[in-house]
Amino acid sequence: AIITSMMEQVCYEYKMESPISVTMLNERTMEFVLSLSYDRLNPTEEEAALKCYENIMLKAEALGFTQYRMSTLSNFS
């Protein structure tokens, strides 16, 4: 799927581990959950994770994928 490919590409750019979970909610709706694994005590990794998250959310929105839950970090538009 285009969304998983985009997520994998962005995570690769930021050197983030990126397990992606996909759940079929009904015949036309899927839920994607991406978890970023990093060391919160390492400022470099934390900054990369935040940039990765922001990049993924902006690209997903540009592709027409909407968020159904907002993170407190989602106020970057």
Side-chain angles (χ1 to χ4, degrees):
I2 191 169
I3 187 75
T4 55
S5 295
M6 180 275 293
M7 288 176 169
E8 288 173 349
Q9 178 185 6
V10 173
C11 287
Y12 179 79
E13 290 173 24
Y14 289 95
K15 298 177 177 58
M16 293 279 119
E17 294 182 24
S18 58
I20 300 170
S21 172
V22 181
T23 303
M24 295 296 297
L25 300 176
N26 60 42
E27 62 275 354
R28 34 173 266 138
T29 307
M30 291 186 289
E31 170 190 63
F32 292 86
V33 177
L34 172 72
S35 301
L36 299 177
S37 299
Y38 65 97
D39 181 355
R40 291 189 74 183
L41 298 177
N42 181 325
T44 303
E45 286 188 34
E46 184 169 26
E47 182 178 343
L50 291 171
K51 287 181 180 178
C52 181
Y53 174 80
E54 178 180 354
N55 197 341
I56 288 172
M57 292 298 102
L58 291 172
K59 286 186 177 196
E61 183 180 357
L63 291 170
F65 293 93
T66 58
Q67 297 179 44
Y68 78 99
R69 280 194 300 194
M70 300 294 282
S71 163
T72 57
L73 303 172
S74 297
N75 190 17
F76 45 71
S77 54

